[in-house]
Amino acid sequence: MARNIQSLERAAAMLRLLAGGERRLGLSDIASSLGLAKGTAHGILRTLQQEGFVEQDDTSGRYQLGAELLRLGTTYLDVHELRARALVWTDDLARSSGESVHLGVLHQQGVLIVHHVFRPDDSRQVLEIGAMQPLHSTALGKVISAYDPVAHSEALDTERKAFTDRTVCDHADFEHLLDITRARGYAADVEETWEGVASIAAPIHDRRRMPVGAVGITGAVERLCRDGELRPELIAAVRDCARAVSRDLGAGRF
């Protein structure tokens, strides 16, 4: 019988450990949990980090799963309930809005894009599944931060970088922005992350009415805005899409 490769077994055990329980673990916690010497554990973590399967937080030094796992897990994405429930609705949103649609979830103090529908035209576009977006400046990030307490804490605890002159970075101003987001049921990003780009996003809830992600559209400011304001029909379309996905997840009416 073929022998198992010990280093791979240990790496697999490490990934399982990081996938469950706390969101981030320190080197000592990982080593003691798996019964490994610190040097051995660190060597495996360093290799996993180089391959993108593990990421290390610059501030705390703790480790967490890397987005590369999702990029490799396309098959898993196909059966992921949130993505599966959103497929038809996001396609409809792309057709009705004429813009690209992104489905995002909280991951590593940011928003991980788990589904992307291209803008329905002949322009050259890049698939963004597996890409990360910031919590504090994007529409997806802000709406998740407004409804998810964990995302809220992470958005406040991390540095809010100014990507443009419009990015809201001040603590009090950001909290006020989240209050507005909750009151109106959607979030907007008008050149707060990328010059010339706007986006609108709304929250998705599951059967327990817990926030599980967000869906939004992204496009040129001149298409999403009219007379300096976001087009109300696009806001309504995004919110309708989010409610439809939430209903399919068992959330009922919102």
Side-chain angles (χ1 to χ4, degrees):
M1 185 173 66
R3 296 175 58 190
N4 292 339
I5 300 175
Q6 188 180 57
S7 59
L8 292 180
E9 288 181 330
R10 289 172 170 175
M14 201 167 285
L15 292 174
R16 292 191 188 99
L17 179 65
L18 290 170
E22 296 183 32
R23 295 179 64 83
R24 301 181 186 85
L25 292 172
L27 175 60
S28 297
D29 299 324
I30 295 171
S32 61
S33 295
L34 299 179
L36 300 174
K38 279 188 179 181
T40 301
H42 185 257
I44 296 172
L45 284 167
R46 186 171 63 248
T47 301
L48 291 172
Q49 186 177 1
Q50 289 171 351
E51 297 299 324
F53 298 142
V54 165
E55 295 179 1
Q56 186 178 26
D57 182 71
D58 292 334
T59 303
S60 66
R62 290 174 172 264
Y63 294 90
Q64 57 198 7
L65 292 179
E68 184 64 21
L69 286 173
L70 184 64
R71 294 188 180 95
L72 290 179
T74 305
T75 303
Y76 168 74
L77 282 178
D78 288 339
V79 298
H80 186 279
E81 186 178 12
L82 174 60
R83 183 176 184 272
R85 297 288 185 177
L87 287 176
V88 173
W89 301 111
T90 51
D91 284 349
D92 287 346
L93 178 58
R95 282 193 295 267
S96 65
S97 67
E99 303 296 343
S100 62
V101 177
H102 296 89
L103 184 71
V105 297
L106 175 66
H107 184 67
Q108 299 174 0
Q109 298 178 314
V111 180
L112 180 65
I113 303 302
V114 296
H115 184 52
H116 175 200
V117 183
F118 283 165
R119 186 171 63 254
D121 59 22
D122 296 328
S123 62
R124 185 175 180 273
Q125 300 174 64
V126 177
L127 187 66
E128 295 182 19
I129 293 176
M132 294 290 293
Q133 293 187 3
L135 285 171
H136 70 286
S137 62
T138 61
L140 289 172
K142 284 187 281 189
V143 82
I144 290 174
S145 299
Y147 287 89
D148 185 331
V150 175
H152 184 192
S153 297
E154 293 193 350
L156 293 177
D157 290 344
T158 56
E159 178 187 3
R160 290 178 294 281
K161 178 182 177 181
F163 297 106
T164 73
D165 292 341
R166 294 172 175 262
T167 309
V168 176
C169 301
D170 179 76
H171 183 107
D173 291 342
F174 183 67
E175 283 278 38
H176 178 63
L177 188 59
L178 297 187
D179 289 339
I180 294 174
T181 297
R182 283 185 289 267
R184 64 189 184 184
Y186 71 91
D189 166 10
V190 180
E191 297 188 286
E192 293 179 47
T193 310
W194 303 283
E195 296 284 354
V197 177
S199 58
I200 306 166
I204 296 172
H205 298 80
D206 65 9
R207 60 184 58 87
R208 299 166 299 164
R209 299 213 167 196
M210 297 294 292
V212 292
V215 63
I217 61 173
T218 301
V221 171
E222 58 266 25
R223 294 198 305 268
L224 266 65
C225 296
R226 182 187 299 124
D227 299 327
E229 299 290 336
L230 289 167
R231 291 165 54 192
E233 68 271 23
L234 294 180
I235 295 172
V238 171
R239 297 191 66 193
D240 286 346
C241 178
R243 283 193 288 260
V245 178
S246 297
R247 284 196 301 269
D248 276 4
L249 288 171
R253 294 184 62 85
F254 270 81

